[in-house]
């Protein structure tokens, strides 16, 4: 039996996919990963934060949902919320699903 409450391939793939961001919280039973704010070196005036929800015990395309948040520094140096293109979350979801499928294939091959 799996010690986590959600699909283990989706869980591991989510951790792999967002590993470049600092993790604020990980709940393997509820299937929720929350990152801390992350600024890419090439865009220090912008930062992103993600919440990944694993919604199913099965490896399914609708078993994962990503919420992305973005902020930009204004002239005073304060962080201001910015709209995030829906494509950003979709790209991350697709990357997680691709990685989850790779993990499943490699686990069945061994």
């Amino acid at each position: 039996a799996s010690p986590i409450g959600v699909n283990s391939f989706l869980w591991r793939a989510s951790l792999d996919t967002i590993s470049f961001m600092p993790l604020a919280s990980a709940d393997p039973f509820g299937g929720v990963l929350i990152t801390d704010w992350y600024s890419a070196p090439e865009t220090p005036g912008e930062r992103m934060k993600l919440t990944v929800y694993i919604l199913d015990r099965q490896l399914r395309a609708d078993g994962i949902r990503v919420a992305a948040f973005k902020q930009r520094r204004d002239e005073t140096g304060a962080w201001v919320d910015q709209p995030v293109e829906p494509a950003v979350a979709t790209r991350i979801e697709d990357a997680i699903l691709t990685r989850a499928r790779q993990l499943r294939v490699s686990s069945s091959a061994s």
Side-chain angles (χ1 to χ4, degrees), residues 23-85:
L23 206 53
S25 134
D27 174 4
F29 301 102
V32 180
L33 291 165
I34 301 171
T35 71
D36 210 340
W37 290 105
Y38 168 79
S39 291
E42 62 274 13
T43 55
E46 224 179 76
R47 64 184 187 174
M48 289 207 65
K49 181 178 183 160
L50 299 173
T51 303
V52 179
Y53 302 94
I54 300 168
L55 308 168
D56 207 315
R57 294 191 66 96
Q58 304 302 312
L59 174 46
R60 299 164 26 152
D62 61 357
I64 190 136
R65 193 164 56 85
V66 173
F69 307 92
K70 181 169 146 186
Q71 291 183 337
R72 189 171 277 138
R73 276 199 199 277
D74 67 10
E75 314 74 50
T76 69
W79 290 104
V80 179
D81 290 340
Q82 299 289 310
V84 180
E85 298 169 40

Side-chain angles (χ1 to χ4, degrees), residues 92-104:
I92 296 166
E93 290 167 1
D94 290 345
I96 291 170
L97 287 165
T98 299
R99 178 72 183 130
R101 290 184 191 109
Q102 291 168 345
L103 289 168
R104 185 176 61 186

Side-chain angles (χ1 to χ4, degrees), residues 9 12 16 99-110:
F9 297 120
R12 289 213 328 264
D16 287 357
R99 178 72 183 130
R101 290 184 191 109
Q102 291 168 345
L103 289 168
R104 185 176 61 186
V105 167
S106 65
S107 81
S108 61
S110 54

